[in-house]
Amino acid sequence: MYFSLRTKLFLPLVALTSALSVYSFTPVAGRHGMVASSEPIASQVGVEVLRDGGNAVDAAVAVGFALAVTHPAAGNIGGGGFMLIRLASGEAVVIDYREAAPFAASRNMYVGSDGELIPHASTVGALSAGVPGTVAGLALAEEKYGKLGLARVIAPAVHLARDGFPVSYGLSESLRQDGDRLAKFDASRRIFLRDGRFYEPGEVFQQTELAGTLETIARRGAKGFYSGPVAQAIVATMQKYHGLITEPDLARYHPIIRQPLVGHFRGYEILSVPPPSSGGVALIEMLNILEPLDLGVPDSYVCMHYMVEAMRHAYADRAAYLGDADFASVPVARLTSEAYASKLREEILHSKPDAPIAAGNPQAFESSQTTHYSVVDDGGNAVANTYTLNNGYGSGVTVEGAGFLLNDEMDDFAAKPGKPNLYGLVQGEANAIAPDKRPLSSMTPTLVLQDGKLRLVLGSPGGGTIMNTVLQVLLNCLVFRMDILQAVSFPRFHHQWMPDRLILERVGFSADTVQKLREAGYQVDLRGALGDCEAIEIDPHSEWKFGAADPRAEGKVVGY
Ligand code: DON
């Protein structure tokens, strides 16, 4: 059954030169609905909500709260993100629930008296936290577009927090790896490290304080987080660890409904997120540059050269122009115009690969966490949601008595314009810190439409690498005709203009291609996994759903 569908959808198949054994596996298929997330229990929660009569938004909100319990490195109620919703009616919106700078934040708050950045000030501890947006964002999504109501969709998360769930190998390892940072803060040390008795795989992890917070939100809605005892607990934690967030900051926070950014690529319609994420702008700019080029075979030198040059231009523009468009003037229309792309394409075709550029931060791309999930329901509604605490376990600070971690999203601002951040991203004036402003993101939850019908739902974590992961999975599906699991599994590469390095995943690229890239002048570095794409593809003919959880991580697709 599945094979005939796949044959219909994906012929003609191109010759794939990489030797990944994953190609012998098949994507998960589902007739009705599907959830792909980076944590299996949360995916199951989402599908149970769908089976219970919930729509894709109900399921997405349930998954968001469940991940805050089962995937604490990135799932969160103390962070923020972007939810891209498209209803079967064709209405599409982005809920921007990105964190906001506290009112007392200021342009040079992370710069010391010597004029240099204060080490770790924007990445560890309460001062690195922006005003969290997740609870307001998820509650708004549920209220406007869900069917079941907040109490129902939070219930599984309350249960998982109160009764516990078995710790996976990955969670056990990541708590150990980030142990030093978590150990600096009392509640984090007690809850996530059990005061040094690390959780082993299979042990049950209960989070009583978090269960109480989630119950309060279930009862009072977003107000239960942004006012009353939970808000007071956040402020008390800020005072203890010298952070800036106040009760008025929390009371003032609001998610913003934005129009999705729309691009076109070879007859497909691309919907993605506008500023304060750079993701949609960069993705559409790169797709526009690549549109008429003959990309040939996905891991050939020619294809990679064109893609890398498109990446370099998009990231150079990101550094120069992008920030929160409610505070700075951001030339979105120009950057995503076809005329601009055609000028850049001419430059690429007439210049040598990789013109020399000053190096950035060698620390870029080290371990960090965000999480993306994709949901599709039986009625044709879809959600692509990416949210994060920024670094794995965010700032490391857990709100005392409330049991959840706070983000370190302030690091996504240009703490000192021109100096690289955690991801080695150099950013400019448009992304300087200001009160209430939202830091520039790279999160890129994306939908692709074919003939007006939903074809792809995807996104990924990975800091500055995110839009390149989304670009590659999208091209793998739409241009190279891979099925969704092949597309997600295929080896990835990344260039962000500065530092001037072309990062290739260590496994999967042929030695010949790597050599040609080096000979052409690219500074090639081989590294571990890039991203964790959780994607769903819909067969335009049969409307069957096919999903892939990225084999680079521990995620799972559940369909029914
Ligand atoms: O918003 C952003 O672009 C970053 N805070 C995302 C961080 C991230 O993806 C870390 N993940 N692996």
Side-chain angles (χ1 to χ4, degrees), residues 73-74 80-82 98-99 276-279 318 366-371 386-392 408-412 421-423 425 427 439-444 460-467 531-532:
F82 297 89
R98 181 74 163 161
E99 298 90 330
S277 182
S278 59
R318 180 193 195 282
E366 294 305 324
S367 140
S368 49
Q369 286 283 345
T370 290
T371 194
T386 314
Y387 75 152
T388 188
L389 292 166
N390 192 28
N391 216 350
D408 61 337
E409 217 71 67
M410 291 294 286
D411 188 65
D412 277 350
N421 73 355
L422 186 66
Y423 305 104
L425 292 166
Q427 322 189 77
L440 183 62
S441 175
S442 299
M443 291 189 271
T444 315
S460 177
T465 68
I466 293 175
M467 44 279 207
D532 172 12

Tab-separated table of all heavy atoms in Angstrom, residues 73-74 80-82 98-99 276-279 318 366-371 386-392 408-412 421-423 425 427 439-444 460-467 531-532, ligand 1:
chain	number	residue	atom	x	y	z
A	73	ALA	N	15.308	20.409	28.245
A	73	ALA	CA	16.407	21.178	27.653
A	73	ALA	C	15.883	22.258	26.728
A	73	ALA	O	16.514	23.302	26.551
A	73	ALA	CB	17.352	20.254	26.882
A	74	ALA	N	14.735	21.993	26.097
A	74	ALA	CA	14.241	22.927	25.090
A	74	ALA	C	12.739	23.165	25.195
A	74	ALA	O	12.266	24.290	24.999
A	74	ALA	CB	14.574	22.417	23.697
A	80	GLY	N	10.290	30.927	24.666
A	80	GLY	CA	9.416	31.532	23.664
A	80	GLY	C	9.620	30.900	22.308
A	80	GLY	O	10.455	29.996	22.149
A	81	GLY	N	8.850	31.355	21.331
A	81	GLY	CA	8.979	30.764	20.002
A	81	GLY	C	8.006	31.340	19.006
A	81	GLY	O	7.467	32.451	19.187
A	82	PHE	N	7.782	30.558	17.956
A	82	PHE	CA	6.901	30.967	16.864
A	82	PHE	C	6.038	29.787	16.454
A	82	PHE	O	6.558	28.694	16.223
A	82	PHE	CB	7.719	31.409	15.640
A	82	PHE	CG	8.579	32.606	15.898
A	82	PHE	CD1	9.878	32.448	16.386
A	82	PHE	CD2	8.097	33.892	15.680
A	82	PHE	CE1	10.680	33.546	16.639
A	82	PHE	CE2	8.893	35.003	15.934
A	82	PHE	CZ	10.189	34.830	16.407
A	98	ARG	N	7.790	35.182	20.966
A	98	ARG	CA	9.199	35.373	21.268
A	98	ARG	C	9.337	36.146	22.582
A	98	ARG	O	8.522	37.043	22.877
A	98	ARG	CB	9.798	36.180	20.120
A	98	ARG	CG	11.272	36.483	20.217
A	98	ARG	CD	12.102	35.284	19.938
A	98	ARG	NE	13.484	35.629	19.646
A	98	ARG	CZ	14.472	34.745	19.722
A	98	ARG	NH1	14.243	33.475	20.059
A	98	ARG	NH2	15.708	35.099	19.418
A	99	GLU	N	10.371	35.855	23.352
A	99	GLU	CA	10.612	36.610	24.577
A	99	GLU	C	10.862	38.084	24.249
A	99	GLU	O	11.332	38.424	23.163
A	99	GLU	CB	11.849	36.091	25.323
A	99	GLU	CG	11.749	34.652	25.788
A	99	GLU	CD	12.251	33.665	24.750
A	99	GLU	OE1	12.151	33.937	23.531
A	99	GLU	OE2	12.737	32.610	25.164
A	276	PRO	N	10.265	39.111	14.360
A	276	PRO	CA	11.660	39.083	14.798
A	276	PRO	C	12.413	37.777	14.550
A	276	PRO	O	13.484	37.601	15.133
A	276	PRO	CB	11.554	39.363	16.296
A	276	PRO	CG	10.226	38.816	16.678
A	276	PRO	CD	9.334	39.062	15.514
A	277	SER	N	11.925	36.882	13.713
A	277	SER	CA	12.824	35.815	13.286
A	277	SER	C	13.424	36.209	11.947
A	277	SER	O	12.766	36.844	11.117
A	277	SER	CB	12.107	34.477	13.136
A	277	SER	OG	13.079	33.507	12.773
A	278	SER	N	14.655	35.806	11.765
A	278	SER	CA	15.304	36.003	10.468
A	278	SER	C	15.033	34.808	9.561
A	278	SER	O	15.404	34.818	8.385
A	278	SER	CB	16.813	36.121	10.671
A	278	SER	OG	17.315	34.934	11.290
A	279	GLY	N	14.388	33.755	10.142
A	279	GLY	CA	14.279	32.480	9.433
A	279	GLY	C	13.586	32.574	8.091
A	279	GLY	O	14.105	32.106	7.075
A	318	ARG	N	21.411	39.061	6.875
A	318	ARG	CA	20.869	38.907	8.230
A	318	ARG	C	21.655	39.779	9.201
A	318	ARG	O	21.092	40.521	10.005
A	318	ARG	CB	20.967	37.426	8.652
A	318	ARG	CG	20.437	37.144	10.047
A	318	ARG	CD	20.852	35.744	10.498
A	318	ARG	NE	20.094	35.307	11.660
A	318	ARG	CZ	20.319	35.686	12.909
A	318	ARG	NH1	21.297	36.532	13.176
A	318	ARG	NH2	19.569	35.231	13.908
A	366	GLU	N	28.453	24.773	19.053
A	366	GLU	CA	28.572	23.790	20.132
A	366	GLU	C	27.180	23.479	20.659
A	366	GLU	O	26.207	24.116	20.329
A	366	GLU	CB	29.477	24.340	21.249
A	366	GLU	CG	30.922	24.534	20.814
A	366	GLU	CD	31.552	23.274	20.245
A	366	GLU	OE1	31.249	22.175	20.723
A	366	GLU	OE2	32.332	23.388	19.296
A	367	SER	N	27.143	22.452	21.530
A	367	SER	CA	25.870	21.889	21.970
A	367	SER	C	24.857	22.946	22.418
A	367	SER	O	25.184	23.869	23.148
A	367	SER	CB	26.159	20.944	23.122
A	367	SER	OG	25.181	21.057	24.113
A	368	SER	N	23.654	22.795	21.980
A	368	SER	CA	22.605	23.743	22.340
A	368	SER	C	21.285	23.126	21.934
A	368	SER	O	21.258	22.170	21.199
A	368	SER	CB	22.809	25.056	21.624
A	368	SER	OG	23.021	24.809	20.269
A	369	GLN	N	20.207	23.685	22.369
A	369	GLN	CA	18.918	23.041	22.158
A	369	GLN	C	17.807	24.025	21.872
A	369	GLN	O	17.723	25.069	22.485
A	369	GLN	CB	18.524	22.271	23.417
A	369	GLN	CG	19.288	21.011	23.642
A	369	GLN	CD	18.822	19.884	22.756
A	369	GLN	OE1	17.751	19.943	22.165
A	369	GLN	NE2	19.618	18.853	22.654
A	370	THR	N	16.975	23.627	20.959
A	370	THR	CA	15.679	24.257	20.691
A	370	THR	C	14.828	23.075	20.306
A	370	THR	O	15.358	21.969	20.187
A	370	THR	CB	15.812	25.252	19.520
A	370	THR	OG1	16.569	26.361	19.972
A	370	THR	CG2	14.485	25.761	18.987
A	371	THR	N	13.570	23.218	20.048
A	371	THR	CA	12.845	22.057	19.563
A	371	THR	C	11.735	22.480	18.616
A	371	THR	O	11.112	23.523	18.807
A	371	THR	CB	12.350	21.186	20.739
A	371	THR	OG1	11.939	19.929	20.233
A	371	THR	CG2	11.221	21.821	21.507
A	386	THR	N	8.154	26.077	16.489
A	386	THR	CA	9.519	25.978	17.008
A	386	THR	C	9.585	26.862	18.240
A	386	THR	O	9.180	28.029	18.186
A	386	THR	CB	10.559	26.472	15.979
A	386	THR	OG1	10.263	25.907	14.706
A	386	THR	CG2	11.970	26.049	16.388
A	387	TYR	N	10.052	26.305	19.360
A	387	TYR	CA	10.203	27.124	20.564
A	387	TYR	C	11.432	26.675	21.313
A	387	TYR	O	12.012	25.616	21.035
A	387	TYR	CB	8.921	27.164	21.396
A	387	TYR	CG	8.535	25.953	22.230
A	387	TYR	CD1	7.775	26.128	23.389
A	387	TYR	CD2	8.876	24.661	21.876
A	387	TYR	CE1	7.379	25.059	24.178
A	387	TYR	CE2	8.484	23.575	22.667
A	387	TYR	CZ	7.746	23.788	23.808
A	387	TYR	OH	7.365	22.731	24.584
A	388	THR	N	11.848	27.504	22.276
A	388	THR	CA	13.185	27.278	22.819
A	388	THR	C	13.417	28.015	24.125
A	388	THR	O	12.700	28.962	24.462
A	388	THR	CB	14.244	27.770	21.789
A	388	THR	OG1	15.542	27.393	22.236
A	388	THR	CG2	14.211	29.275	21.616
A	389	LEU	N	14.461	27.546	24.834
A	389	LEU	CA	15.025	28.310	25.945
A	389	LEU	C	16.341	28.956	25.500
A	389	LEU	O	17.078	29.509	26.282
A	389	LEU	CB	15.303	27.371	27.126
A	389	LEU	CG	14.077	26.776	27.827
A	389	LEU	CD1	14.490	25.612	28.724
A	389	LEU	CD2	13.361	27.845	28.654
A	390	ASN	N	16.667	28.819	24.222
A	390	ASN	CA	17.943	29.177	23.587
A	390	ASN	C	18.963	28.082	23.876
A	390	ASN	O	18.897	27.013	23.301
A	390	ASN	CB	18.436	30.566	24.013
A	390	ASN	CG	19.589	31.019	23.120
A	390	ASN	OD1	19.662	30.600	21.958
A	390	ASN	ND2	20.491	31.845	23.620
A	391	ASN	N	19.904	28.310	24.758
A	391	ASN	CA	20.871	27.274	25.090
A	391	ASN	C	20.149	26.068	25.713
A	391	ASN	O	19.043	26.221	26.201
A	391	ASN	CB	21.807	27.873	26.140
A	391	ASN	CG	23.215	27.401	25.989
A	391	ASN	OD1	23.481	26.481	25.227
A	391	ASN	ND2	24.101	28.024	26.708
A	392	GLY	N	20.748	24.891	25.709
A	392	GLY	CA	20.154	23.756	26.405
A	392	GLY	C	19.927	24.116	27.874
A	392	GLY	O	20.839	24.605	28.532
A	408	ASP	N	17.702	31.918	28.142
A	408	ASP	CA	18.796	32.901	28.033
A	408	ASP	C	18.754	33.546	26.643
A	408	ASP	O	19.756	33.672	25.953
A	408	ASP	CB	20.167	32.276	28.310
A	408	ASP	CG	20.532	31.175	27.331
A	408	ASP	OD1	19.617	30.583	26.713
A	408	ASP	OD2	21.737	30.903	27.167
A	409	GLU	N	17.510	33.947	26.290
A	409	GLU	CA	17.287	34.458	24.938
A	409	GLU	C	17.905	35.836	24.714
A	409	GLU	O	18.068	36.270	23.572
A	409	GLU	CB	15.773	34.525	24.685
A	409	GLU	CG	15.369	34.177	23.283
A	409	GLU	CD	15.546	32.700	22.984
A	409	GLU	OE1	14.820	31.885	23.568
A	409	GLU	OE2	16.410	32.376	22.170
A	410	MET	N	18.265	36.539	25.789
A	410	MET	CA	18.867	37.870	25.608
A	410	MET	C	20.147	37.761	24.783
A	410	MET	O	20.579	38.720	24.147
A	410	MET	CB	19.153	38.512	26.972
A	410	MET	CG	17.903	38.912	27.756
A	410	MET	SD	16.946	40.224	26.976
A	410	MET	CE	17.978	41.653	27.318
A	411	ASP	N	20.754	36.564	24.765
A	411	ASP	CA	21.983	36.391	23.976
A	411	ASP	C	21.731	36.478	22.470
A	411	ASP	O	22.663	36.642	21.688
A	411	ASP	CB	22.641	35.046	24.309
A	411	ASP	CG	24.016	34.917	23.669
A	411	ASP	OD1	24.905	35.698	24.060
A	411	ASP	OD2	24.188	34.087	22.759
A	412	ASP	N	20.473	36.341	22.063
A	412	ASP	CA	20.191	36.456	20.627
A	412	ASP	C	20.210	37.905	20.140
A	412	ASP	O	20.199	38.170	18.939
A	412	ASP	CB	18.841	35.811	20.280
A	412	ASP	CG	18.967	34.305	20.100
A	412	ASP	OD1	20.103	33.808	20.053
A	412	ASP	OD2	17.929	33.633	20.000
A	421	ASN	N	27.584	36.120	18.700
A	421	ASN	CA	26.871	35.580	19.862
A	421	ASN	C	27.209	34.099	20.030
A	421	ASN	O	28.165	33.588	19.427
A	421	ASN	CB	25.358	35.829	19.727
A	421	ASN	CG	24.701	34.928	18.687
A	421	ASN	OD1	25.377	34.165	17.975
A	421	ASN	ND2	23.399	34.996	18.580
A	422	LEU	N	26.411	33.410	20.857
A	422	LEU	CA	26.617	31.989	21.151
A	422	LEU	C	26.777	31.151	19.890
A	422	LEU	O	27.477	30.160	19.865
A	422	LEU	CB	25.387	31.511	21.938
A	422	LEU	CG	25.325	30.120	22.517
A	422	LEU	CD1	26.367	29.962	23.612
A	422	LEU	CD2	23.934	29.873	23.105
A	423	TYR	N	26.084	31.530	18.817
A	423	TYR	CA	26.113	30.753	17.575
A	423	TYR	C	27.102	31.321	16.578
A	423	TYR	O	27.082	30.961	15.412
A	423	TYR	CB	24.700	30.687	16.968
A	423	TYR	CG	23.731	30.139	17.975
A	423	TYR	CD1	22.840	30.960	18.637
A	423	TYR	CD2	23.782	28.787	18.329
A	423	TYR	CE1	22.004	30.462	19.620
A	423	TYR	CE2	22.954	28.282	19.310
A	423	TYR	CZ	22.072	29.125	19.953
A	423	TYR	OH	21.258	28.619	20.924
A	425	LEU	N	27.022	34.111	15.378
A	425	LEU	CA	26.338	35.018	14.455
A	425	LEU	C	26.733	36.447	14.777
A	425	LEU	O	26.621	36.894	15.918
A	425	LEU	CB	24.823	34.871	14.586
A	425	LEU	CG	24.231	33.544	14.111
A	425	LEU	CD1	22.792	33.398	14.598
A	425	LEU	CD2	24.289	33.446	12.588
A	427	GLN	N	25.852	40.279	14.362
A	427	GLN	CA	24.590	40.969	14.128
A	427	GLN	C	24.796	42.458	14.295
A	427	GLN	O	25.782	42.883	14.891
A	427	GLN	CB	23.537	40.472	15.112
A	427	GLN	CG	23.681	38.972	15.357
A	427	GLN	CD	22.575	38.374	16.146
A	427	GLN	OE1	21.497	38.141	15.625
A	427	GLN	NE2	22.817	38.148	17.412
A	439	PRO	N	14.487	39.768	20.657
A	439	PRO	CA	15.775	39.474	20.023
A	439	PRO	C	15.590	38.726	18.707
A	439	PRO	O	14.651	37.950	18.557
A	439	PRO	CB	16.484	38.590	21.054
A	439	PRO	CG	15.410	38.041	21.921
A	439	PRO	CD	14.278	39.013	21.904
A	440	LEU	N	16.483	38.956	17.778
A	440	LEU	CA	16.387	38.327	16.456
A	440	LEU	C	16.587	36.821	16.580
A	440	LEU	O	17.540	36.358	17.199
A	440	LEU	CB	17.457	38.915	15.534
A	440	LEU	CG	17.434	38.419	14.088
A	440	LEU	CD1	16.114	38.786	13.407
A	440	LEU	CD2	18.611	39.006	13.306
A	441	SER	N	15.689	36.081	15.979
A	441	SER	CA	15.726	34.621	16.041
A	441	SER	C	16.129	34.049	14.687
A	441	SER	O	16.105	34.746	13.668
A	441	SER	CB	14.328	34.113	16.408
A	441	SER	OG	14.283	32.714	16.364
A	442	SER	N	16.468	32.769	14.695
A	442	SER	CA	16.666	32.039	13.435
A	442	SER	C	15.593	30.974	13.261
A	442	SER	O	15.646	30.198	12.296
A	442	SER	CB	18.040	31.368	13.423
A	442	SER	OG	19.050	32.331	13.525
A	443	MET	N	14.664	30.893	14.182
A	443	MET	CA	13.673	29.813	14.113
A	443	MET	C	12.842	29.947	12.834
A	443	MET	O	12.446	31.043	12.465
A	443	MET	CB	12.802	29.825	15.364
A	443	MET	CG	13.603	29.401	16.597
A	443	MET	SD	12.606	29.152	18.060
A	443	MET	CE	12.628	30.788	18.756
A	444	THR	N	12.595	28.818	12.182
A	444	THR	CA	12.005	28.831	10.844
A	444	THR	C	10.917	27.770	10.679
A	444	THR	O	11.028	26.882	9.829
A	444	THR	CB	13.126	28.596	9.785
A	444	THR	OG1	14.266	29.400	10.111
A	444	THR	CG2	12.674	28.940	8.383
A	460	SER	N	13.228	23.092	12.506
A	460	SER	CA	14.359	22.441	13.190
A	460	SER	C	14.898	23.351	14.278
A	460	SER	O	14.750	24.574	14.197
A	460	SER	CB	15.476	22.171	12.174
A	460	SER	OG	16.603	21.614	12.817
A	461	PRO	N	15.586	22.781	15.262
A	461	PRO	CA	16.450	23.590	16.120
A	461	PRO	C	17.808	23.787	15.440
A	461	PRO	O	18.002	23.355	14.306
A	461	PRO	CB	16.612	22.725	17.368
A	461	PRO	CG	16.508	21.333	16.872
A	461	PRO	CD	15.566	21.388	15.687
A	462	GLY	N	18.735	24.401	16.164
A	462	GLY	CA	20.103	24.504	15.647
A	462	GLY	C	20.645	25.918	15.593
A	462	GLY	O	21.592	26.189	14.863
A	463	GLY	N	20.048	26.851	16.371
A	463	GLY	CA	20.578	28.218	16.397
A	463	GLY	C	20.676	28.766	14.985
A	463	GLY	O	19.750	28.648	14.179
A	464	GLY	N	21.826	29.326	14.679
A	464	GLY	CA	22.028	29.948	13.374
A	464	GLY	C	21.986	28.975	12.207
A	464	GLY	O	21.927	29.401	11.052
A	465	THR	N	21.996	27.691	12.470
A	465	THR	CA	21.978	26.725	11.353
A	465	THR	C	20.549	26.427	10.885
A	465	THR	O	20.366	25.734	9.878
A	465	THR	CB	22.635	25.386	11.758
A	465	THR	OG1	21.824	24.721	12.739
A	465	THR	CG2	24.025	25.588	12.335
A	466	ILE	N	19.546	26.924	11.610
A	466	ILE	CA	18.173	26.452	11.391
A	466	ILE	C	17.709	26.654	9.948
A	466	ILE	O	17.210	25.736	9.301
A	466	ILE	CB	17.195	27.140	12.364
A	466	ILE	CG1	17.475	26.698	13.800
A	466	ILE	CG2	15.746	26.815	11.969
A	466	ILE	CD1	16.635	27.413	14.866
A	467	MET	N	17.857	27.870	9.431
A	467	MET	CA	17.262	28.086	8.089
A	467	MET	C	17.976	27.276	7.025
A	467	MET	O	17.376	26.920	6.008
A	467	MET	CB	17.139	29.561	7.713
A	467	MET	CG	18.295	30.422	8.005
A	467	MET	SD	18.221	30.865	9.758
A	467	MET	CE	19.079	32.424	9.729
A	531	GLY	N	21.202	20.099	13.361
A	531	GLY	CA	19.740	20.202	13.401
A	531	GLY	C	19.028	18.940	13.844
A	531	GLY	O	19.639	17.904	14.145
A	532	ASP	N	17.720	19.058	13.933
A	532	ASP	CA	16.840	17.958	14.351
A	532	ASP	C	15.483	18.263	13.721
A	532	ASP	O	14.598	18.795	14.369
A	532	ASP	CB	16.775	17.919	15.884
A	532	ASP	CG	15.729	16.937	16.401
A	532	ASP	OD1	15.214	16.132	15.607
A	532	ASP	OD2	15.432	16.988	17.612
B	1	DON	O1	15.948	31.933	18.306
B	1	DON	C1	16.998	31.449	17.937
B	1	DON	O2	17.403	31.505	16.799
B	1	DON	C2	17.844	30.680	18.932
B	1	DON	N1	17.554	31.126	20.251
B	1	DON	C3	17.582	29.235	18.743
B	1	DON	C4	18.453	28.392	19.617
B	1	DON	C5	18.598	27.027	19.122
B	1	DON	O3	18.104	26.672	18.096
B	1	DON	C6	19.433	26.149	19.929
B	1	DON	N2	19.377	24.831	19.368
B	1	DON	N3	19.793	23.943	19.029
